[in-house]
Amino acid sequence: MKKIGIYPGTFDPITYGHIDVIKKALNIVNELVVAVSNDHSREYLFSADERVQIINNCLFKDLKFKKNKIKILSFNSLTTTLCKKLKTTIIFRGLRAVSDFEYEFQLAGMNRKLDKEIETVFLMSDIANQVISSQLVKEIAKYKGNLKNFLTKSAIHSLKQKYD
């Protein structure tokens, strides 16, 4: 039986921390949907289409992931609604620090209340990547800092285009 999981997030931009979670999720499911949130109430540096393209470039050009195991799409709905549409009951969420846990725990509980079939699986990125956040990476890019330890070449290129 084919197991499909979903990894929702803003990915503004995708970092090595996100990529660690993707790698670990692929060890659990046969197919992973990386779902880029297009929540119009938030402000993003990159549009949803740009974020999808950056993720495609990072995963398939830079890192040579297998395209048959990963799908990338944007969505503007509840994650549970997207799960139903994709016929999955597994949501992956990344944890970096204890500070992430309270929000993620609450989110997982709400998703469970919305659909009792859905399970949230928490995955931690490798220790070296736990300090990385998209927000901090954007600040480093804004002030022309070195990004190579945080992002793939494609994501670095995209960020530099925004800040040059």
Side-chain angles (χ1 to χ4, degrees), residues 139-150:
E139 191 169 334
I140 293 166
K142 181 179 176 181
Y143 293 108
K144 313 281 190 248
N146 186 342
L147 296 165
K148 72 175 182 163
N149 292 321
F150 311 112

Side-chain angles (χ1 to χ4, degrees), residues 82-100:
L82 183 62
C83 286
K84 277 188 178 157
K85 181 179 172 185
L86 299 173
K87 296 179 174 60
T88 182
T89 58
I90 304 167
I91 298 173
F92 290 101
R93 297 295 293 171
L95 292 176
R96 290 175 301 197
V98 174
S99 58
D100 289 342

